[in-house]
Amino acid sequence: MPEEQHELFTDLGGRFSARLSAVWAARGIEAPSETTGVTAKYQCQVKAEYQKDLMGLLEEGMLLAVRNFKSSPQGPKRFSLLEISRLGPEHYGLKGLTDQSYYPYQFEIIQQAVQDWDTDDKSTMMIQMSAIPLNYDLVLDGKAGPEYVKGFTYPVIGECVSILNKNTIHQMYNKTILERMGRPWQKIDTTLDARKDPRLGTVKMFENEKERVPIYVDFERLVRYHFGIFGFTGSGKSNLLSNILRRLIYHTKDTKIVIFDISMEYPFLLLDVFSDPTVPSKIILEGPVSSADQLYKIVVKPRGFEKNVTAKKAFEAMMSQDRVGHYAERSSSGLTYEDMLHQLSLLSEENVERATSLEAIETIKRAVLQYMKEKKLDRADPMDEKFVDFLSKTSLEAVEKFKIWKNSGLYGWAQTRDTLNERLGEAEEPKEEEGYNTKTIANLIEGEERLVCLSIVDPNLIKSLAINLSRTVLMSRKKEFKVEPLVLLVFDETQEFIPAYDKARGIERECTIQVETLLRQGRKYGLGGCLATQRIAYLNTNALQQLHTYFVGPMPRPYDRSLVSNTFTIDQGILEKTLEFAPGEWLLSSYIATGMENVPIFIKADNTETEIQKLLQG
């Protein structure tokens, strides 16, 4: 290894000696498919000399560097970067065996191979590695530090292959992020303590060494450009999400978080944050609770804490600080002009194949907008009886004019507009002490509260709240064009909120449309979204495509992996590795929030239970 490269690469103590043996087009002859995702045009094969303990040091996800054709002796040295996707040892004798060989000979060769693995015999054994290009070049000009240039350059076949060492990995992934945070990056300095270190976890490389490489993300970009967490049951989604939220609270100035918690997990998973008197927060439950003991009983706890009664003290602290309230659903919510325009949009989607129905709906919509213009009304203004009379008359005239079928949903909708006067008369704001509603929760978000957890298990109730609250917050930001402070809306168990259009009916359809609208428009106004789910096959793909950062865990179903590969442009070869992940291990890829754009990174997330345990023991 050249002297100037010693600081960037490692040969694992003289054990690693490898060369690039082949490069070929990836899936070059396959027909394109909507479920086939490819991040690289090429696949690479690397052959390494065998040493008995090398297999214990090499890991999938390690980054390799090999000189490419843009490198020159006089100019800057350029290396193509590759990521190991598969590796395994090969034995010459075993490779030569066939089922037609003499049986005793087969058993003798197999038995001898066991002894050979404990030697360093390079003549009969080697290590084969499959690697995928990262589509980045490492450029060394001898003057400044290393640079990373996006784009694929064909590597020199037969050239020596080097492994990037942990300091280079740290610089690649973390330098730009830590500089934006105003933290030093030159030396790896990390700790498990969530209050002291904004890391999400560690990189799954060099796991046999004491000093691990931390992984950081740009929190502002993570929130504003949306992120998703996808993994099967037991993969640690809630653990990862709660750790991300905890660090957002501790390491951003004023980012606000709203959690739609249908499983009632987060009052416990974020127990240390809710108990912290310096962090204004609120837990809003489905119904009122009168004591810490009652709160302790209804909140879902991790397996290791199910019998830990010391947590009651933390709940007592939350109750004494008035951090627990309940949602008071009104018998009839105040209707706004935005609500009516939204209803007309839903009717248009339901009648998309009926030309005359669409013309009738468009006529009604134009009349409503003209009425608002003449009266100088805003979309967020509440409707009154005069408008309801106008709407009823206009709707009936439109369905008669376009001869809408009398048994259709549109005709029924037009016939019943006059009943809105009854709802307007019933709509009354509950007193604040009776609980929280959409308006008062929106006020919490725009106020001092940093963390609001809406723990409501009734699916229809929490979906209705998600629709109304996300619409209210978005409209509020649009009226004043506010982008600060950032607000993150977290939809845990996302399948409840954004089902695919062909599977959504009634309130589910309205919810998936509204959340998609939030994700499409929110980033302009400082509103971010987080989607966390165990099954993405039946979700609204239009909403999924708004995400710029993804954490992918084990997903046993092939269709789920194919959808992730296609939607987020992650190579199938990399995704297959996630099947081997233990709980808490993730594949992180981001277009904007990590130090390397759209590079898959294998990470091990920190354990949220460590923070809870510290609280309870303290």
Side-chain angles (χ1 to χ4, degrees):
M1 186 184 298
E3 185 67 30
E4 68 271 15
Q5 297 173 22
H6 270 300
E7 295 183 358
L8 299 177
F9 304 142
T10 177
D11 58 7
L12 301 177
R15 299 179 182 90
F16 185 77
S17 176
R19 289 187 178 270
L20 180 68
S21 63
V23 179
W24 64 90
R27 299 181 178 93
I29 61 173
E30 290 187 5
S33 164
E34 64 178 18
T35 59
T36 302
V38 182
T39 57
K41 297 178 182 179
Y42 298 94
Q43 297 275 359
C44 302
Q45 186 178 59
V46 177
K47 296 181 183 291
E49 295 180 355
Y50 181 82
Q51 289 200 24
K52 61 182 180 180
D53 54 351
L54 187 57
M55 279 298 299
L57 299 174
L58 292 174
E59 304 167 43
E60 284 97 342
M62 277 186 166
L63 300 190
L64 309 176
V66 57
R67 186 173 64 87
N68 61 43
F69 284 99
K70 286 186 178 179
S71 185
S72 64
Q74 293 78 24
K77 294 181 174 62
R78 293 179 72 113
F79 300 84
S80 296
L81 296 180
L82 316 174
E83 183 166 9
I84 300 176
S85 59
R86 280 287 179 269
L87 64 91
E90 285 192 359
H91 191 287
Y92 183 79
L94 295 176
K95 289 280 287 185
L97 279 181
T98 67
D99 290 340
Q100 288 74 39
S101 300
Y102 184 48
Y103 292 162
Y105 174 70
Q106 291 188 45
F107 282 108
E108 183 178 349
I109 295 296
I110 294 170
Q111 184 177 353
Q112 179 61 41
V114 176
Q115 301 174 20
D116 291 343
W117 296 128
D118 291 329
T119 71
D120 293 333
D121 187 358
K122 299 177 178 62
S123 64
T124 57
M125 296 171 292
M126 70 163 55
I127 297 175
Q128 294 268 24
M129 287 173 280
S130 297
I132 296 173
L134 292 185
N135 298 323
Y136 275 91
D137 277 5
L138 169 62
V139 181
L140 304 176
D141 62 5
K143 300 174 183 177
E147 295 182 37
Y148 302 95
V149 179
K150 190 167 179 60
F152 174 77
T153 305
Y154 207 94
V156 177
I157 298 176
E159 184 59 273
C160 290
V161 176
S162 301
I163 301 174
L164 271 61
N165 65 29
K166 60 187 178 184
N167 290 322
T168 306
I169 297 295
H170 172 64
Q171 188 252 13
M172 275 179 60
Y173 290 155
N174 298 323
K175 177 184 175 183
T176 57
I177 307 298
L178 291 174
E179 284 180 340
R180 289 186 204 131
M181 292 180 179
R183 299 172 68 96
W185 62 269
Q186 290 82 357
K187 181 182 177 182
I188 298 176
D189 183 16
T190 186
T191 174
L192 279 168
D193 194 321
R195 292 175 181 267
K196 297 179 180 178
D197 196 343
R199 77 179 198 184
L200 300 187
T202 55
V203 179
K204 269 186 60 62
M205 294 186 212
F206 310 106
E207 292 189 276
N208 293 312
E209 300 188 25
K210 292 182 180 179
E211 188 178 47
R212 303 290 301 278
V213 180
I215 186 69
Y216 301 91
V217 296
D218 186 312
F219 287 131
E220 179 184 355
R221 296 182 180 186
L222 180 75
V223 171
R224 190 163 182 176
Y225 292 90
H226 319 310
F227 65 99
I229 301 175
F230 312 111
F232 199 59
T233 301
S235 59
K237 293 187 304 299
S238 301
N239 179 84
L240 173 64
L241 179 54
S242 56
N243 255 324
I244 293 173
L245 302 183
R246 178 179 286 107
R247 283 162 171 80
L248 280 171
I249 292 294
Y250 289 145
H251 298 284
T252 62
K253 182 180 179 182
D254 53 8
T255 301
K256 297 174 181 289
I257 298 169
V258 182
I259 311 172
F260 293 92
D261 177 26
I262 198 170
S263 56
M264 291 194 70
E265 292 181 292
Y266 292 91
F268 197 94
L269 291 173
L270 293 170
L271 191 61
D272 55 318
V273 182
F274 285 116
S275 303
D276 190 337
T278 66
V279 180
S281 59
K282 187 73 71 174
I283 298 172
I284 298 176
L285 305 171
E286 192 169 333
V289 294
S290 56
S291 66
D293 189 63
Q294 183 184 359
L295 180 60
Y296 175 82
K297 289 178 180 178
I298 65 174
V299 168
V300 175
K301 295 167 278 293
R303 186 182 305 170
F305 294 90
E306 288 176 348
K307 298 181 180 180
N308 191 329
V309 294
T310 58
K312 290 183 181 180
K313 293 182 180 179
F315 285 112
E316 288 172 359
M318 287 192 290
M319 294 292 290
S320 65
Q321 296 174 46
D322 191 27
R323 299 203 163 187
V324 181
H326 71 279
Y327 182 54
E329 185 184 22
R330 288 180 286 177
S331 58
S332 176
S333 57
L335 295 171
T336 65
Y337 293 97
E338 174 65 23
D339 293 325
M340 186 51 55
L341 292 170
H342 185 65
Q343 285 186 21
L344 291 170
S345 297
L346 292 176
L347 285 170
S348 295
E349 292 183 8
E350 292 175 3
N351 292 274
V352 68
E353 297 181 356
R354 301 180 182 92
T356 54
S357 294
L358 287 176
E359 289 181 19
I361 295 167
E362 187 61 29
T363 299
I364 298 169
K365 184 177 180 179
R366 284 199 301 268
V368 170
L369 292 173
Q370 184 62 32
Y371 181 94
M372 294 171 60
K373 182 179 180 181
E374 292 175 356
K375 304 290 185 181
K376 297 182 180 180
L377 297 168
D378 189 83
R379 286 173 175 251
D381 291 336
M383 299 188 308
D384 56 20
E385 292 184 5
K386 289 183 178 180
F387 172 73
V388 171
D389 293 339
F390 167 80
L391 177 66
S392 178
K393 179 182 176 182
T394 302
S395 301
L396 289 172
E397 289 175 352
V399 295
E400 292 296 337
K401 176 182 178 181
F402 291 96
K403 302 186 184 306
I404 303 302
W405 184 40
K406 293 189 177 182
N407 288 334
S408 70
L410 176 58
Y411 193 92
W413 179 86
Q415 285 281 343
T416 56
R417 289 312 84 199
D418 56 352
T419 62
L420 290 176
N421 278 326
E422 300 174 12
R423 293 182 61 185
L424 294 177
E426 294 173 359
E428 293 180 0
E429 295 283 342
K431 297 178 182 179
E432 187 171 342
E433 62 266 24
E434 294 177 353
Y436 292 88
N437 55 51
T438 301
K439 183 177 180 180
T440 51
I441 294 173
N443 290 339
L444 286 178
I445 298 169
E446 295 297 338
E448 295 183 355
E449 256 66 21
R450 295 283 310 278
L451 177 62
V452 177
C453 183
L454 307 171
S455 295
I456 299 173
V457 296
D458 185 329
N460 288 333
L461 193 58
I462 197 168
K463 287 171 191 172
S464 175
L465 180 55
I467 294 166
N468 296 330
L469 186 60
S470 59
R471 185 186 301 159
T472 300
V473 173
L474 183 58
M475 288 301 299
S476 173
R477 288 288 174 108
K478 282 183 175 182
K479 287 178 69 174
E480 299 182 26
F481 187 64
K482 290 178 61 178
V483 295
E484 292 182 346
L486 294 179
V487 177
L488 174 66
L489 288 86
V490 178
F491 299 92
D492 192 32
E493 302 296 343
T494 303
Q495 68 275 5
E496 298 288 342
F497 300 96
I498 58 163
Y501 282 120
D502 60 344
K503 299 183 182 301
R505 300 290 184 274
I507 193 171
E508 289 183 345
R509 188 173 182 84
E510 190 174 356
C511 190
T512 195
I513 291 172
Q514 182 55 42
V515 175
E516 179 189 333
T517 301
L518 173 74
L519 295 174
R520 281 193 288 104
Q521 301 179 9
R523 69 173 61 98
K524 302 173 186 176
Y525 305 100
L527 301 177
C530 168
L531 308 180
T533 183
Q534 62 181 341
R535 187 84 197 270
I536 76 167
Y538 302 122
L539 297 186
N540 179 343
T541 53
N542 292 335
L544 290 176
Q545 288 170 348
Q546 306 303 316
L547 308 180
H548 281 58
T549 304
Y550 344 99
F551 298 84
V552 184
M555 289 187 293
R557 297 180 178 90
Y559 184 77
D560 284 342
R561 295 197 301 276
S562 295
L563 189 61
V564 168
S565 177
N566 178 60
T567 306
F568 306 131
T569 325
I570 301 175
D571 195 277
Q572 284 273 24
I574 292 291
L575 280 175
E576 293 295 324
K577 173 61 182 173
T578 63
L579 294 174
E580 305 167 18
F581 282 177
E585 296 178 349
W586 298 89
L587 185 153
L588 163 62
S589 183
S590 177
Y591 290 107
I592 197 165
T594 52
M596 296 288 282
E597 177 186 326
N598 202 28
V599 170
I601 309 168
F602 296 154
I603 71 169
K604 184 172 181 61
D606 289 335
N607 192 349
T608 196
E609 294 185 14
T610 304
E611 298 296 324
I612 299 173
Q613 197 66 50
K614 283 195 303 184
L615 172 72
L616 301 184
Q617 290 175 350

